Amino acid sequence: MASANIGASFECLGAAASGPVVISVPHGGRLYPPALIAALRIPLPAIMGLEDRLIDRVAVAARQDEVTLIQALPRAWIDLNREEGERDPVIDLGARPTGRPSPKLRSGLGLVPRRIGGHGDIWNRRFTDVEMVARIVADHRPYHDALAGALLDAHARFGVAVLLDLHSMPSLGAADMVPRIVIGDRHGQTADTRFVRRVEAEARAVGIPVTRNAPYAGGHIVQRHGAPRRGIHAIQLELDRSLYLDDALEAPGPGFDRTVALVRGIVVALHAEALGLPTTLAAE
């Protein structure tokens, strides 16, 4: 396995595109900087609720030689799935209104989250423009630049590229009544339907309820990097955390290996769809 450490904020596994699929894991980071801890008004364990808990471990176990970007810093530090301009004036002294704020920003989940469910406000102070710009320049832009480069490399080599942006979500309700996987393609804007159908087929083949775009239609990452007309497709995949974590939603649970196998199957299916191969050949 090739591994290139890009910097403190994220890691890139895989030196060059070996296939059309690129994996992104933007919300699994658990490296909490001292500056973040010092600014908290709530206990550190409370803020960990913003993590897509251990989804990076699923990705690492599921990948073979696909280029995979994994954010090391936590979502609480900066959210890679938000645009640079989604800065919250309640906590950000450098925020500039640019029109109607997005629903996520209004709810306190902007570029730097302001609130967390069950605990309220996160921070004990506001952040300066210099602090926020430093995070954007050091941590947000490099990730997106690296992701764009990986997709362009895959497209140059194979004539097509597919981004699988991997996330996890709280359970939406009773497991036998609601979807446990949500596929987001911005309602058809970021990927051809044939790729979404392949992901749906993989989930249904193992008996997991799956749906599209509700309640998660895909965020900034797929919107920014998906360009189906240019042959670059982007899908956000949300997995119910109970699929792979224990009952406390803290550590890998009995479903971890099954979830890894599912994600591996999805990667293989996307590879096959992109190149017009039988799935069995794509898996070799």
Side-chain angles (χ1 to χ4, degrees), residues 226-247:
R229 292 183 180 180
R230 295 194 289 111
I232 300 176
H233 306 268
I235 291 172
Q236 179 174 296
L237 186 68
E238 295 273 2
L239 303 175
D240 186 323
R241 288 172 198 151
S242 67
L243 289 172
Y244 66 92
L245 293 177
D246 60 11
D247 289 342

Side-chain angles (χ1 to χ4, degrees), residues 125-275:
R125 67 178 180 88
R126 298 175 76 187
F127 301 105
T128 67
D129 184 55
V130 170
E131 289 176 299
M132 296 298 291
V133 171
R135 295 188 197 186
I136 292 169
V137 172
D139 305 316
H140 191 278
R141 289 179 189 170
Y143 189 94
H144 283 280
D145 289 347
L147 186 53
L151 290 167
L152 288 174
D153 182 35
H155 187 273
R157 290 169 180 257
F158 301 98
V160 62
V162 185
L163 169 61
L164 182 65
D165 193 42
L166 190 60
H167 297 253
S168 68
M169 64 182 184
S171 295
L172 299 176
D176 59 346
M177 299 176 62
V178 300
R180 302 185 76 192
I181 294 177
V182 178
I183 304 166
D185 67 348
R186 305 290 297 184
H187 302 282
Q189 295 180 24
T190 66
D192 282 354
T193 302
R194 61 192 178 100
F195 292 105
V196 175
R197 288 174 177 165
R198 290 299 292 265
V199 177
E200 288 175 329
E202 292 297 313
R204 289 172 177 152
V206 294
I208 299 178
V210 59
T211 191
R212 302 184 195 180
N213 294 311
Y216 306 106
H220 173 61
I221 290 175
V222 295
Q223 187 171 38
R224 173 171 175 169
H225 296 284
R229 292 183 180 180
R230 295 194 289 111
I232 300 176
H233 306 268
I235 291 172
Q236 179 174 296
L237 186 68
E238 295 273 2
L239 303 175
D240 186 323
R241 288 172 198 151
S242 67
L243 289 172
Y244 66 92
L245 293 177
D246 60 11
D247 289 342
L249 301 179
E250 288 290 337
F256 183 84
D257 290 343
R258 292 192 299 273
T259 304
V260 168
L262 169 63
V263 174
R264 183 67 211 159
I266 288 171
V267 171
V268 169
L270 292 173
H271 179 115
E273 185 64 37
L275 300 185

